[in-house]
Amino acid sequence: QVQLVESGGGLVQTGGSLRLACAASGRTFRSYVMGWFRQAPGKGREFVAAINWSSGAINYADSVKGRVTVSRDNAKSTVYLQVNSLKPEDTAVYYCAAREQKKSSYNYWGQGTQVTVSS
């Protein structure tokens, strides 16, 4: 059974940093793209970043480019999202997701981790 478990969220002050983790299990993800999304209160889900597990190719949303870094640890089967210079508008539930490289939609999702940025 595929599981994506996020961790690392919490309450942080404006300007602070957080590193979110997504532990993936239940299958081999080498042929997958791992994505990070977020959903703020009252808003739709927004793409943040993605990393191709095998090639390491990375894609960032323009809204966060320069403040986030996505990475992976093959040995731990874990994907990370480092978010710096946090702003109140970064407050959201952050989700990890996985999709096959040849597909366009994500078919595995984690439960999410709450990030709250205080002003």
Side-chain angles (χ1 to χ4, degrees):
Q1 181 179 355
V2 173
Q3 276 195 311
L4 302 177
V5 180
E6 303 95 334
S7 62
L11 176 63
V12 63
Q13 291 185 333
T14 296
S17 298
L18 281 176
R19 188 175 79 153
L20 309 181
C22 171
S25 62
R27 66 166 303 125
T28 300
F29 288 91
R30 296 297 176 91
S31 63
Y32 276 69
V33 174
M34 306 299 293
W36 283 98
F37 293 77
R38 66 185 182 184
Q39 187 165 18
K43 295 188 176 181
R45 194 168 291 184
E46 174 191 22
F47 169 78
V48 177
I51 183 168
N52 184 305
W53 202 294
S54 58
S55 71
I58 289 171
N59 187 29
Y60 295 113
D62 289 341
S63 60
V64 298
K65 198 171 291 184
R67 295 194 298 121
V68 304
T69 303
V70 63
S71 60
R72 72 201 189 292
D73 184 327
N74 290 334
K76 295 183 178 180
S77 197
T78 298
V79 177
Y80 301 96
L81 183 72
Q82 176 75 34
V83 189
N84 300 321
S85 303
L86 281 158
K87 310 172 185 179
E89 50 263 43
D90 292 319
T91 295
V93 178
Y94 284 70
Y95 296 92
C96 175
R99 66 169 175 84
E100 294 181 53
Q101 292 176 14
K102 58 185 179 181
K103 296 186 177 179
S104 58
S105 61
Y106 288 82
N107 52 327
Y108 297 114
W109 292 86
Q111 293 299 307
T113 185
Q114 176 71 48
V115 171
T116 302
V117 184
S118 63
S119 55

